[in-house]
Amino acid sequence: MQAPLLRALLAEAIGTFALVFTGCGAIMVDAKTHQLGHVGVALTFGLVIAAMIYATGHVSGAHFNAAVTFAFALTRHFPWPRVFAYWAAQLVGAVAAAAVLRGSLGNVASIGATLPSGSQGQAFLFEVILSAFLMFVVLAVATDTRAVGEAAALAVGATIAFDALFGGPVTGASMNPIRSLGPAIVSGNFHALWLYILAPVVGTSLGGLAYQVIRGEHR
């Protein structure tokens, strides 16, 4: 395996670790202390993504999300042969972070697992739409030279934060199969996990294709 790819995979693992440790950790800390609140948790997810994009975007592209990786490949902005390697690195980071959280805080709030508050159909719809918003913004700032590249991290972080602010009470606002899978594996809570794996992939695919249409990129 080439050194640049190894560095990219390490960056993906570290970034995904930070996402799960900080974001899911915020859910767990709030469950124990009630000091953060829903807004605090949503902002934590947005801020950690923004920080990790600035830190590793130039190394790996800062996906940290299996659905984002899939959508990049689908829209031909990422090579298919690297997709599974990125997924593996992301899963390692997510499971490691969830394990550290469980070891330090206990099995609190199912290690920040994403769970629907209503029906699974409702949650699926919300996850598709939230994920489409996310990929629409990601593809714009990551691939279009007309976008303000310096603000990419803030744009993506803000999208995750506003998605989580209004979608979190309905679905947990995962938008990321790996973010949901890591805590599920460590906590053993697999309730409705299928929708948190499938819906983000559908949503990011739709969001990515939608941006290609308005951009005028026909592939």
Side-chain angles (χ1 to χ4, degrees), residues 135-149:
M135 194 65 203
F136 189 84
V137 173
V138 167
L139 201 63
V141 298
T143 68
D144 197 330
T145 57
R146 297 170 297 178
V148 183

Side-chain angles (χ1 to χ4, degrees), residues 18-118:
L19 165 63
V20 173
F21 182 78
T22 307
C24 296
I27 294 172
M28 297 170 71
V29 168
D30 185 61
K32 290 175 71 74
T33 67
H34 307 291
Q35 295 297 308
L36 292 174
H38 171 59
V39 173
V41 171
L43 291 177
T44 299
F45 274 105
L47 289 171
V48 68
I49 286 295
M52 288 298 105
I53 290 174
Y54 277 127
T56 68
H58 57 289
V59 178
S60 70
H63 297 187
F64 317 138
N65 184 331
V68 166
T69 301
F70 179 86
F72 269 131
L74 181 68
T75 55
R76 300 185 183 180
H77 291 289
F78 188 76
W80 281 109
R82 292 192 175 190
V83 168
F84 287 103
Y86 264 53
W87 286 354
Q90 292 158 4
L91 184 60
V92 167
V95 171
V100 172
L101 287 172
R102 177 162 186 165
S104 57
L105 296 175
N107 194 10
V108 178
S110 296
I111 321 297
T114 43
L115 301 167
S117 61

